Structures are given as structure tokens and as C-alpha cells.
């Protein structure tokens, strides 16, 4: 490994990385490179990387931005594997920096060199005692090989996370700061970790995802390899994302889309560092629960109640214990405790040396328990050691995940944490934190168990015939004509250019009908008297035709009028919406409450396409408007089957029709059971290039 | 202080409390009481409390449940101030225990003794080196006098919280475990702390609040004394509250009501121990912000972005810095940092010794900043000390609250936390935790600044004339008659006992009208054909009268029919609901989306009565349905003034009309601006005694 720009000056930033390598016992050759030095910390110094003896796997490039291009060319010539570029002054710093970064990418690509950074602070691989880079942490940290991988766009925050993790007794397989991600993005870094043999869970700190369209496949790989990805993606808010953009020169994606994609693909999304570490401690162990039923064993009623509350908050079930288990617990739990889950053995565990061991064994053996949370409070000395021993033994005898929370300072029982961690048992300060981490574990496993999560790849090529060009919006009539051709249940309708034609069309369609003005110049038809609803006979239609045209002519004098749309009038039913928008990850489908409730309810479910019937049903069940679909206040239930079929059809269209287009079906009226659903209004727009 | 049941046996639970008192340097006399011992740890032992020399302020009662009544009688005879009873076997353990507890209460009351517990583990007052009770923690903890008071119903969890707090460097003014709260509840304990001279913030862990109706006055006292109450109330979920009930024999209140009361009265409610401690660390210092605009100074862009995201999540503003401030920051912040709030000075603080000091000074001085959050990452050694020094100095020069988050292990800069804490500056592991605590501080101060939060006292005496008896429901017509007498805008209506009478009434009321069957036996009128809407003339009314009566007679053969209600038909407008329910705290008023949307939107705002116009406006603004009231899809805005007036009128009625009654106005139709609001349907019920 070469350290380019190493310095012999004691205490300098150029000397530190060589010291870190030495002090951590790096096994390979350490090759300082500096034309003005003879040696650094006793290692012979070379004038350039070209002069280094033998092959160079990794070059740590510590020179200023101006010198980086030359060094990269030299590294490429030397066939260096990876070059880690620490210098700032690239894309994060304006137009000139962006130019410099493009130049750098070109040089690395031409030379077949994998380039990490620039604007990063390096990487650590404890399995090779490799500490390559510069952080105040490197002077202090003790690295031991572990199974947690961390990929962080930010150097300072990344190593801040690491320092808190080490403090909790967690260990890493690799830590990598990707910086500007010029040529090597979080995506590639995560993929490497998913494919290695030591990493069990991958943590990602991101300020903006590159190559978003490849993340769905990456998430599938994580499911296949049973290695969860846990993501702390910041810049969620408007101010936050502005700050993130100025910080990393990366475009903040649409946050809501990212959350939906994570939920769907089993990526665990977290909002804070402590949550990230709690989840990491839980997912680094290989056990996976069969379900979401939590058994809670506590020495303090209060901690148990808090765990039960948290289960409700996070959508987990407090397991119902079997009659057998309860009966056996009844015999040993003190009368002032509780044998209903949460099982409260009380502080009696201090006096009764068998109590905890027997209870935890019974709970672990209960088939109604999928995971076991042991929640103790301020145990010290012998009783703490005994409880820990009981937990370790039970964990060794069951294949269910076992977690431990302690609501008490580590200093009360200093041996507890390390011995539990060594056995893969996560340790939490509070039972609520434990339950939150269980929710992440259950979520990951549920997605993994789920249907074969098909390929989520956007169709390539040109949009199908009739689809709008970028920036173009199709009229309601034309949009619905196309949708009808793709098999969607649109309202029966036709364009009339005279009152007589309208009456004839109405007779074909069947009464009642609605009339709507058709004009490329009018977006909001209602506001200009361009819509008349609920017409029951030919006279009404003829009169309404004249009224609609007259009103529009009067209020929008110059408007081009193509005619009047005569449309099947759909009455009753529940108004929903179905939409498709392109996203960085691929086309997303949305289902929600429609009509006037859109802004009020903001009640939507979103997925990457395609979705099958089961997933479509799951989307509808997530909605609060499900109550409307089930029928409220004497209204019967709506035709859920028809809604689900329509979602699947729209999803198929979105998955197969290439191009960046948006579809907005609103309202979709879902009629009574067996009566189907109708697309009453539709907007199909080609997204203008940014 | 007497320790009744003290034991001389080394290592026994009866000896431990005497040792704790001695080892903590308790300044008063320590008086062990045990008829079978001569001395305990060198202190002379007395056969009974009566034999103790001089007055006894506090007796720690460590005898079994059977012996407690006798000891209490002796304590009363001796004029002991407080007796702390540790024994279990009282109300938490079934009917016999409840009887014993009532007996105990009687003895204490008769003897004028303040009784704490039973089923508790004692109290600590570090200002008097008083450690009275038994917990594994007492053998380990170092107590120093502080300003945080803690009242905990649970012993184990309470002292678990304390151990975590001490570990974070926090200090207590008093810790009290109230246990079964037989005669001395959390309410009295909190009141004592609000009135003392040392406590600055009161933490409450509760599994069920006693004397809920006195909590509003207690919360007002906290506002007056500028001592925030922070509450961790568990048993929020169904399973959790069942577990809480079995644990403490206290009835879990309605959780939603409690949350509303806390929000309204400035009690900070938290859901986990770490949140409780974060808030305690923040509210224990006396500084209060003038607003909610947060200045964020960071050494890592990522930590700044996370803080900004969290501000958006918790309803805080990221301060907009003045042009002057920005211009001056521009001159000193490195080009790769940021001078937009969050201000990112980057890791350059390590090299540039003046950078942090100058930036924090500028931000603290900016009038647009109400609070200052310094968020650093993995600083070590000299640079960490320097940053801490800069924070301390700035905090000394400003009166704005200053907070510190570090995203890095304490071990990187061990001096940082204690020196910041000593200056009253709270220290957090992550910037998100800091922002969450700021939100609590802002919330408390906002309620404190708010209108004079009037007395929230339920009216005493009998319900007014006409109000329903317990268990009785008034018919729509009778209920609205009463509400009309109290000035509420009910629909014009009258009861007709014949078709002719109905037609005459309709003419008086004005067309269109609606007809509704009036029968004490029919609750759901629509389902039995008992309602006809939108009748436009006398013939329609006459026909509808016959139809309604015939339909009801056919479908509900035995129903008593008092007649048919002829009612003003209200068309258009937005359907809302207004409700009143009694609660443990006093009558609560609810406003929300009405009609068919009730179950779908679940969109309500709730307050303890009375509410003034300003508070009523705040309630409406909280609702998502505010979008409907503002007008959607071409509908004009609704008459907000009328809705607010109606809320205030209902609140006045609820505050002045005594008794346990429920009122459900649904729908209240809010018409267009200037057109008022109408109570269309109403249910007034006397709550049956439980």
C-alpha cells in the first residue's frame, strides 16, 4: 500500500496515516511516496508511485487537488488497484471543481483504476488491520474484525458513527467514506460488502443516492444474501436537502419515494444515528424470526409495559402465551408478578436464583413466541451475572432471536454487555429501543419471506404509440382512448361537434350522461362552465350542449373548441385515485383517496412497479380510506376486486410502456361490489426533460 | 430518621439501608429500630419507634405487610412526619391486599401521618445526603445535589432511570418512588418539588394518574414556577395498559385525553427513557427561548443536515441568518463549508484555532436566532477542548439557550461533557436528540407565554334543567331544543303529529325541509326509512310524512312514534363535528371532520374546557380538514368565524353545566363565509356511573 504525499514531519497530517498503518499492525508493505523525503517513521520513502517496488494494491492519495491528476495518471500506469483521493476542491466547490472532477474520472477510467473520493477521509478494514486515511478517531480507536459494514458519504459523521458504535462494543468488517463519489459510489461500495464473506449487515449514510435505478437490484441482492441494508439518508426536509445539496453536490431525491422504495424492498430506513446502531446490533446476528410475536420477560413491570406499548407503536404483536406455558409460569412467578406476557418476575430474581432461568426457558420454548426480549432494570453483582448467564444459555438452546435491554448504566454490571455481544445478543438501554430494532428485523424478514419480489426495471426504448411527447399533455378524451386500448375500464364516451351529435351519442352511451368541453386551451373545465353533469334525456343534452359552448366562449374568448365530450355519468361509489410517476428508481404507482379528499386525506400508498395482486391488495389495505371502501354509514362495500385489478393493469402499463410519462387517474370511481370501477378522468403527460 | 426493621446481620437487606445512610454521610440521627438487636453498624438500636430519642422526621418501614399497621400506629403516636412503607402485599395483590391498604390509609389519616407507598423502595434527597430505602443502585451510586426531581411509581424502573441519568452526569434534587400511592400520590410529590427551592424540572414516571382532576392546577403551578413537568406515562396501548393495571392496581386513563391535556398545559410527554433524560438535561437549565428559530453550527455538514431535517419533523424553524451575519461568516468560513444555516465550519476548526469561536459569536449575536445548537463530530484533544471553551464563553455572553451535540464517543474528549454540564449546557449524542429536546423546551415556553391559561375546573353541582339523567339519551329534537336555549345555532324545526301539521310547520320553517322520525326506540333512523331529505313543497311533505311513518311501522313494528321532526334542510357546506366528553381531568371538547369522514379521517383536535377564541382557532388550524374549510376544487371558503364561535359556545356550556354528560354534534354544517354554521344533528347523553 502506497501513501502518496506522506511526510516525515512528526505530528503532521502527512505522517499520521503511516503511523496509523504501523500502529494497527497492517500486514502488507507500507510504501510512503514523497520526492522530498528519504523515509517516514522508518519506512523507506519513494519519489513516485512508479518507483515503488512490486505491485501496489491501494494508493492513499494525500496531495492537494492540483497535483491529484498527475498522481492518478502515475497510479494508472503502475496498475494500482484502488486510489483513495482525500483532497477537496472538486465537484463540491462549484463549476471549476466540477470540471476538475470530470477530468479525474476520465483519467481513472482511461487507466482502469478504481477511484474512491475525492473529498473523503479514507477507509478501514479491520480484517486486514488496514487503517487508510485521516480522522482524529484513528489515533484513538481499537479495531477488531467484525461483521458490520459502513458506507458513509460524509467522513466526519461516518467516523462519528463508528466511534459511537465502537463504544457500544460493535465491530466492523469495513468502513468506507465515499466522499464525492466521482467514480465509486455507495452503490458499488454496498455491493462489495454484500458479496464479501464477512459482512452480515450494511449501514449506509447518504446525502444523495447515485445510480438510484440500480438500487432495487442491489436491495434484491441483499435479500438473497440475507444481509440487510440499513439506510440513514439525510436531507429529508426542504432546508435539510438544500443544506445537503450545498454540502455534497448531490441532488437530493424525492424523500417520499425513497421511503416507499425502502419499505417495499426491505431496506431499513432510520432517521438518527442511535437508531442506526440499535438496528445494526440487531441485524448483525444471523437469526431471523418466523413472525412478529414478541415474548417479553422483565424484572420490572414498568419496563415490560413500555415494551408492550412500543410493540403496538411499531406494529408488532405481544405474543399470547400457550395455556401450558402460563400454567407452568404460574407455579414459579411470585404472586405480585405477572404471567401474562409481558411476564414480570419482579426483583425476586435477586433472591430466587432459579426464577429467571426457568421463566426464560419456558418462554423461549413457547411456540407462540417468535422473538424473546429480556428487559431487566438496575441489576448488579451476582444477580446480574446470573441473569446474563441464563440469557446466554437460553440463546444457545433456541434458534429464536433473543434481545436484551437493561434500563441501567453499564457500570452497574460491566461484564454484561461484552459477554452478551460476544454471543450475538444485542443490548439496549431501554426496552423501547429494543422493540424498535425488533421492528426492523421483522420488516426485513417479512420482505425476504414475501413473494419473489420481481425485477423492478423500467422498460427501455420509446414510449408506445399515442403516448405524449416530453412536455405534452393529452386531453382527457385522448388519454382515456389510449388507456381503454390498454384494457383499463374508462367511461363510455365520445366527442360531439354539434347538439344533434351529442344527443345521438348520449343515446348510444345510455342515460344519464355528463357533458365536458374539449379544448386544448382549457385545463380547469368546471371553473368556466365547461361541465354539466347528470343529464337524463335528449332535451337536457341539447340544451346543455349550447350552454356549455356559450359559457366557455364567453369566459375564454380565444379558446379553440374541438367539441363537447359526451360521457357516461357514473353515480355513487367511492372516489379514489391511481397515479404513475417516473422516479430515479423507476416508475412508481400510487393509490389513494381521490376527488375532493386528495388534499385533505393525503392518504396514499406508493410502490415501485410492477405490483402483483397481492401487493396491490396490500397497498389498498394500508389506506385510511379503506374504511370508505368497506362501506360507512349504511353504504355497502365497494368493488375491491375491481380496484385491485385496475391497479395491476396500471402497474403493467407502467412497467411495459417506456419513457418518462406521468399518469393521473382521478377520480377512479369504485362502484358497489360486483359493479366494477370506472376511470372518470385521466391526465397523461410526457415529463419534460429537466 | 428511623429505620424500622433494621438488621445487624451483615449483607442482609435489613442492614443495607443503614449502611447507605452512613456511607452517604446523612447528617441527621440514624435510629435503627428492631426489638431483637442491640446495635446496627455501630448505631444503637431501639426496640420500637416510641423508644427513639427526640422527634423522628422520617421513618423507613421495612417490616412485612402483616406488621405494617402496628408500626404505622406507633409512628403516628410518635408524631413521625413521613413514613415510607416498603412492603408489598397491598392493593397490587387482590381484594385482601386492597382491604389492608384501606386500613393503612385510615390509620395514617387518623394519626396525621404522611404515608409513602406501600410497595415502594424509598427515596433519595442528595441535598441532605439522605438515601432512604433499598435498591441495588444505592450500593453503587454517587449522589451529588442537583436540580432534577424524579417521581416514579415504579421502583426498579425509577432507579434504572436514575442510574442512566447519573451516568450522563445529571444530578438530582430528589428521587421518590411512590409505589401504590395509597395516601401520597405523584400529584402531592410533584407539588412538593414544584414548591421547593432547588428543583428546576420535575420528571414523572407513571402507570396511572391519581387525582387526575387536580393535575390541570398542578400544571398551571409548574408554568407559574417555571418548572417544567416531563411525563413518561406508560400503558398507552391496549396490551400495555392491561399489563400496567395488573402491575400497579391503578386504572389506566384514556391515553388520547392525557396527550391532549399535556400539550395544552405545557406538560412535556415522552415515550422513552432516553427522551426523558434528554429533555431533563435541557429543561433543568433556566434559560428560555424567545421563539423557535434554531441556529445550527456544525463541523460536519451531515450532522447539520440531520439537525435541519429534525427541526422540520419537530415543528421548529431553521433560523434565517441576517445579511450582516452571513457576510461576516462568509469572510471566515472556508469555501468548502456553508454560511447558510446550518453553518458548516468543516474540520478546518482543527487547523484554524479562531474559526469556531468567531462563528459561534456571530450566530449567538444574530437577532434571528432564538437558540443555538453546536453540533460537532469526532473532535479530540486540543481542538475538542478549544471548541468546548468557545461554547462555554459564548454561553456566558448570551442569554439564549445553547446546546451541544457531539456524534462521537465521550472517550474521545472525556473533559467535554462534565465541563459543559457544569455550565448548564446539555450534551447529546446526536443532533436529532438535541433538536427533539429543543422542541420540548420551545413547547413549554410557548404554553407559558400563551394566554393566561384559565382555570380548568369542572363545574360542581347538578346538571342544568333538561339535561339527561345518568344513562339517559335525549332525542335529537329535545337535545337541540336545550342547545338552542343555550344559544347554539341549531336547525329550525318542529315536531308534527300529522301530515297536515308537518305541511304547516314546513311553511313556517321555509323550504326545503327534511323529515325525520321521532321515536325513543329508534337510534339509526336512516336504516329504517325514517329520514327523507330535500322536500321542496307541501305535497312532497305530506307524501313523505306518510312514507316515513309507514316504513318505520313496517320495519320496527313495536316502536313508539312521537311524531315526525320537520327540519330546515341545510345544503352544501362542510360537515364537521363538535363533541364534549367528561374525563378524569374535566370536560374535554373535540372538534373534527364530521359526517361520513369521521372514521376515515380520524381528524380531531381536543382540549380541556374552557377554550377561548384564540384556542378554538388553534384547534381548527390543527385539523387536516382545514383544507376543506378553506375550500377545495372550486368551493369557496367556509364560515370559520361561525365555527369558532360555536366551539367557544359549546366550551362555555361544557365548563358551566355540571355533571357527567356527553354531547355529540355531528354533523355541524359550516356554510359559506358569512352564512354561519348549523347544528344538524345532536346527541346529549348522561354518562352512566361506572
Amino acid at each position: 500500500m502506497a501513501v502518496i504525499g506522506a511526510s516525515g514531519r512528526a505530528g503532521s497530517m502527512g505522517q499520521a496515516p503511516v503511523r496509523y498503518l504501523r500502529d494497527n499492525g497492517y500486514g502488507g508493505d507500507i510504501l510512503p511516496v514523497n520526492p522530498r523525503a528519504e523515509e517516514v517513521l522508518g519506512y523507506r520513502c519513494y519519489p513516485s508511485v512508479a518507483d515503488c517496488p512490486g505491485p501496489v494494491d491501494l494508493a492513499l492519495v494525500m496531495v492537494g487537488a492540483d497535483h491529484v491528476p498527475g498522481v492518478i495518471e502515475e497510479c494508472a500506469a503502475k496498475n494500482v488497484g484502488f486510489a483513495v483521493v482525500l483532497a477537496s476542491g472538486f465537484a463540491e466547490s462549484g463549476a471549476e471543481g466540477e470540471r476538475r472532477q470530470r477530468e479525474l474520472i476520465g483519467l481513472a477510467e482511461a487507466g482502469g483504476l478504481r477511484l474512491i473520493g475525492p473529498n473523503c477521509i479514507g477507509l478501514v478494514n479491520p480484517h486486514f488491520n488496514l487503517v487508510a486515511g485521516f480522522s482524529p478517531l484513528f489515533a484513538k480507536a481499537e479495531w477488531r474484525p467484525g461483521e458490520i459494514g459502513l458506507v458513509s458519504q460524509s467522513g466526519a459523521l461516518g467516523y462519528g458513527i463508528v466511534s459511537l458504535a465502537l463504544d457500544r462494543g460493535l465491530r466492523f468488517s469495513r468502513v468506507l467514506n465515499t466522499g464525492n463519489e466521482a467514480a465509486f459510489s455507495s452503490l458499488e461500495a454496498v455491493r462489495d460488502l454484500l458479496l464479501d464473506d464477512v459482512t452480515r449487515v450494511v449501514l449506509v449514510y447518504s446525502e444523495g443516492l447515485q445510480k438510484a435505478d440500480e438500487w432495487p437490484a442491489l436491495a434484491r441482492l441483499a435479500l438473497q444474501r440475507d444481509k440487510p441494508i440499513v439506510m440513514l439518508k439525510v436531507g429529508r426536509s426542504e432546508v435539510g436537502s438544500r443544506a445537503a445539496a450545498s454540502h455534497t453536490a448531490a441532488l437530493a431525491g424525492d424523500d417520499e419515494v425513497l421511503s416507499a422504495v425502502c419499505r417495499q424492498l426491505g431496506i431499513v430506513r432510520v432517521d438518527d444515528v442511535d437508531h442506526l446502531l440499535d438496528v445494526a446490533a440487531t441485524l448483525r446476528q444471523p437469526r431471523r424470526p418466523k413472525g412478529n410475536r414478541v415474548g417479553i420477560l422483565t424484572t420490572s413491570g414498568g419496563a415490560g409495559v413500555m415494551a408492550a406499548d412500543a410493540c403496538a407503536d411499531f406494529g408488532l404483536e405481544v405474543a399470547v402465551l400457550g395455556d401450558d406455558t402460563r400454567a407452568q409460569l404460574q407455579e414459579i412467578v411470585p404472586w405480585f408478578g405477572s404471567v401474562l406476557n409481558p411476564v414480570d418476575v419482579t426483583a425476586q430474581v435477586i433472591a430466587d436464583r432459579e426464577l429467571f432461568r426457568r421463566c426464560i426457558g419456558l418462554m423461549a420454548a413457547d411456540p407462540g413466541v417468535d422473538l424473546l426480549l429480556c428487559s431487566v432494570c438496575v441489576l448488579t453483582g451476582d444477580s446480574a451475572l446470573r441473569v446474563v448467564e441464563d440469557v446466554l444459555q437460553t440463546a444457545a438452546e433456541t434458534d429464536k432471536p433473543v434481545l436484551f435491554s437493561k434500563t441501567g448504566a453499564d457500570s452497574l454490571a460491566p461484564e454484561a454487555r461484552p459477554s452478551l455481544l460476544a454471543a450475538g445478543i444485542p443490548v439496549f438501554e431501554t426496552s423501547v429501543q429494543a422493540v424498535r430494532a425488533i421492528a426492523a428485523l421483522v420488516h426485513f424478514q417479512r420482505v425476504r419471506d414475501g413473494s419473489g419480489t420481481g425485477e423492478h426495471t423500467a422498460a427501455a426504448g420509446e414510449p408506445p404509440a399515442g403516448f405524449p411527447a416530453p412536455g405534452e399533455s393529452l386531453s382527457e378524451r385522448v388519454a382515456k382512448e389510449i388507456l381503454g386500448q390498454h384494457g383499463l375500464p374508462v367511461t363510455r364516451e365520445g366527442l360531439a361537434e354539434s347538439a344533434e351529435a351529442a344527443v345521438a351519442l348520449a343515446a348510444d352511451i345510455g342515460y344519464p350522461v355528463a357533458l365536458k368541453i374539449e379544448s386544448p386551451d382549457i385545463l380547469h373545465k368546471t371553473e368556466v362552465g365547461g361541465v354539466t353533469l347528470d343529464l337524463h334525456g335528449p332535451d337536457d343534452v341539447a340544451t346543455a350542449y349550447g350552454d356549455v359552448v356559450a359559457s366557455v366562449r364567453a369566459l375564454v374568448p380565444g379558446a379553440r373548441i374541438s367539441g363537447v365530450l359526451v360521457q357516461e355519468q357514473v353515480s355513487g361509489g367511492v372516489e379514489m385515485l391511481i397515479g404513475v410517476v417516473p422516479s430515479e428508481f423507476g416508475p412508481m404507482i400510487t393509490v389513494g383517496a381521490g376527488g375532493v379528499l386528495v388534499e385533505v386525506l393525503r392518504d396514499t400508498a406508493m410502490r415501485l412497479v410492477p405490483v402483483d395482486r397481492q401487493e396491490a391488495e396490500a397497498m389498498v389495505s394500508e389506506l385510511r380510506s379503506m374504511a370508505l371502501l368497506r362501506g360507512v354509514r349504511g353504504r355497502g362495500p365497494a368493488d375491491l376486486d375491481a380496484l385491485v385489478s385496475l391497479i395491476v393493469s396500471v402497474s403493467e402499463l407502467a412497467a411495459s410502456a417506456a419513457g418518462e410519462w406521468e399518469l393521473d387517474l382521478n377520480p377512479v370511481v369504485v362502484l358497489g361490489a360486483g359493479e366494477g370501477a370506472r376511470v372518470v378522468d385521466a391526465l397523461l403527460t410526457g415529463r419534460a426533460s429537466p
Side-chain angles (χ1 to χ4, degrees), chain A:
Chain A
M1 158 161 182
V3 182
I4 303 172
S7 156
R9 194 155 49 83
S12 70
M13 283 179 71
Q15 189 203 44
V18 178
R19 198 174 63 241
Y20 300 148
L21 284 166
R22 185 194 63 188
D23 292 353
N24 283 283
Y26 174 59
D29 292 329
I30 302 173
L31 309 166
V33 173
N34 187 338
R36 284 162 310 186
E38 286 296 307
E39 56 106 48
V40 175
L41 291 174
Y43 297 98
R44 181 177 160 194
C45 200
Y46 299 89
S48 82
V49 73
D51 302 313
C52 290
V56 173
D57 299 319
L58 179 71
L60 189 66
V61 181
M62 301 183 61
V63 300
D66 292 343
H67 298 287
V68 169
V71 168
I72 290 302
E73 282 182 305
E74 286 176 21
C75 286
K78 177 77 179 175
N79 281 321
V80 166
F82 282 88
V84 181
V85 178
L86 271 54
S88 349
F90 292 90
E92 83 284 3
S93 69
E96 170 57 18
E98 274 176 36
R99 194 200 53 73
R100 260 203 288 231
Q101 183 159 318
R102 277 196 303 274
E103 182 195 353
L104 207 59
I105 297 172
L107 290 172
E109 275 176 5
L113 179 77
R114 295 183 84 177
L115 183 142
I116 297 172
N119 188 24
C120 76
I121 64 178
L123 62 94
V124 175
N125 185 330
H127 288 274
F128 294 103
N129 300 319
L130 174 70
V131 177
F134 186 85
S135 158
L137 178 68
F138 294 169
K140 297 251 182 185
E142 270 185 69
W143 301 95
R144 292 186 208 168
E147 61 295 278
I148 299 173
L150 170 65
V151 176
S152 173
Q153 216 170 341
S154 161
L157 195 71
Y159 284 102
I161 292 169
V162 169
S163 99
L164 291 171
L166 295 176
D167 215 43
R168 292 187 183 195
L170 301 177
R171 298 177 185 183
F172 289 88
S173 59
R174 204 182 303 173
V175 178
L176 176 67
N177 169 214
T178 53
N180 279 12
E181 306 200 344
F184 189 80
S185 74
S186 300
L187 181 92
E188 283 85 16
V190 171
R191 191 184 287 138
D192 283 354
L193 290 166
L194 291 178
L195 294 173
D196 75 17
D197 292 328
V198 287
T199 303
R200 298 284 329 153
V201 57
V202 182
L203 314 184
V204 181
Y205 169 83
S206 174
E207 290 164 359
L209 289 180
Q210 310 273 345
K211 305 185 187 175
D213 57 330
E214 297 184 37
W215 276 84
L218 195 71
R220 270 200 311 282
L221 179 64
L223 294 172
Q224 284 157 14
R225 303 271 300 166
D226 192 15
K227 292 189 183 186
I229 299 173
V230 189
M231 186 178 290
L232 178 57
K233 160 75 177 62
V234 302
R236 294 179 290 114
S237 64
E238 211 186 317
V239 178
S241 78
R242 207 173 57 218
S246 84
H247 176 52
T248 62
L251 199 76
D254 179 338
D255 198 70
E256 201 187 340
V257 168
L258 177 62
S259 285
V261 168
C262 286
R263 266 197 308 277
Q264 186 176 359
L265 300 180
I267 296 174
V268 177
R269 192 166 181 200
V270 298
D271 286 340
D272 194 10
V273 173
D274 71 326
H275 189 191
L276 179 77
L277 297 181
D278 282 345
V279 172
T282 306
L283 293 179
R284 78 187 180 98
Q285 54 80 34
R287 294 190 186 182
R288 303 289 178 251
K290 293 215 166 39
N292 72 343
R293 300 164 305 171
V294 186
I296 304 165
L297 177 63
T298 182
T299 62
S300 151
V305 176
M306 287 178 67
D309 284 348
C311 283
D313 290 345
F314 292 108
L316 301 171
E317 280 179 49
V318 175
V320 177
L321 299 179
D323 292 342
D324 263 19
T325 312
R326 274 215 300 274
Q328 293 180 67
L329 286 170
Q330 193 82 60
E331 288 175 21
I332 46 179
V333 169
W335 56 264
F336 47 94
S338 168
V339 300
L340 279 180
N341 192 17
V343 172
D344 177 10
V345 295
T346 79
Q348 188 66 20
V349 286
I350 299 172
D352 180 346
R353 304 175 61 88
E354 297 295 303
L355 180 56
F356 197 87
R357 187 181 56 74
R358 291 168 67 190
C359 291
I360 190 176
L362 288 170
M363 290 187 74
D366 190 304
V369 170
D370 297 317
L371 315 93
L372 193 56
L373 169 60
C374 302
S375 176
V376 307
C377 277
V378 283
L379 287 185
T380 59
D382 277 356
S383 45
L385 288 182
R386 211 171 347 104
V387 161
V388 166
E389 198 49 53
D390 295 342
V391 173
L392 290 173
Q393 194 180 329
T394 306
E397 287 163 5
T398 178
D399 58 357
K400 298 175 184 176
V402 177
L403 299 94
F404 192 83
S405 85
K406 59 189 177 53
T407 318
D410 272 352
S411 53
L412 294 181
E415 316 81 0
R417 181 187 287 273
S419 50
L420 290 165
L421 284 180
I425 297 168
V427 180
F428 303 89
E429 275 206 345
T430 76
S431 50
V432 175
Q433 291 166 346
V435 170
R436 190 176 56 170
I438 289 174
L441 177 59
V442 166
H443 168 66
F444 176 75
Q445 187 55 24
R446 190 171 274 169
V447 176
R448 236 183 120 226
D449 286 341
S451 60
T453 45
E455 298 275 331
H456 299 280
T457 317
E462 291 298 307
F467 268 57
E472 185 195 358
S473 282
L474 302 185
S475 78
E476 173 185 343
R477 184 180 60 83
V478 176
K480 280 156 83 179
E481 216 169 277
I482 291 177
L483 297 174
Q485 287 158 13
H486 282 89
L488 303 195
V490 295
T491 43
R492 291 190 304 275
E493 59 195 31
L495 187 67
E497 292 177 29
S498 68
E500 297 72 37
V503 170
L505 265 170
D508 276 359
I509 290 166
Y511 287 100
V513 296
L515 299 194
K516 296 180 178 178
I517 197 78
E518 171 98 349
S519 160
D521 301 317
I522 294 168
L523 265 180
H524 301 290
K525 300 167 195 148
T526 312
E527 277 81 342
V528 295
V531 176
T532 311
L533 301 175
D534 224 13
L535 303 167
H536 285 261
D539 292 352
D540 290 352
V541 170
T543 313
Y545 185 96
D547 291 350
V548 161
V549 171
S551 170
V552 171
R553 281 211 199 292
L555 292 169
V556 196
R560 290 165 293 172
I561 295 177
S562 331
V564 172
L565 192 61
V566 182
Q567 186 173 86
E568 168 192 6
Q569 167 86 41
V570 183
S571 301
V574 180
E575 291 192 334
M576 302 293 289
L577 70 80
I578 301 179
V580 175
V581 283
S583 86
E584 321 172 273
F585 300 96
M588 306 288 302
I589 186 167
T590 302
V591 182
V596 295
L597 290 179
V598 175
E599 297 97 59
V600 183
L601 274 177
R602 281 178 210 159
D603 177 30
T604 56
M606 193 189 272
R607 295 286 192 287
L608 204 52
V609 302
V611 296
D612 56 16
R613 277 197 86 82
Q614 194 184 335
E615 193 74 27
E617 280 166 13
M619 291 178 80
V620 177
S621 330
E622 279 171 27
L623 299 173
R624 272 174 288 135
S625 355
M626 187 64 194
L628 287 175
L629 292 166
R630 272 200 214 95
V632 286
R633 298 237 163 171
R635 284 193 203 162
D639 195 335
L640 274 180
D641 264 1
L643 176 60
V644 168
S645 300
L646 180 50
I647 295 169
V648 172
S649 302
V650 172
S651 158
E652 281 165 6
L653 179 63
S656 62
E660 297 252 299
W661 48 269
E662 289 178 25
L663 178 63
D664 187 19
L665 310 183
N666 182 18
V668 166
V669 173
V670 186
L671 298 166
E675 294 171 13
R678 295 286 185 290
V679 177
V680 173
D681 200 351
L683 193 63
L684 183 56
T685 311
R687 180 173 277 196
S689 310

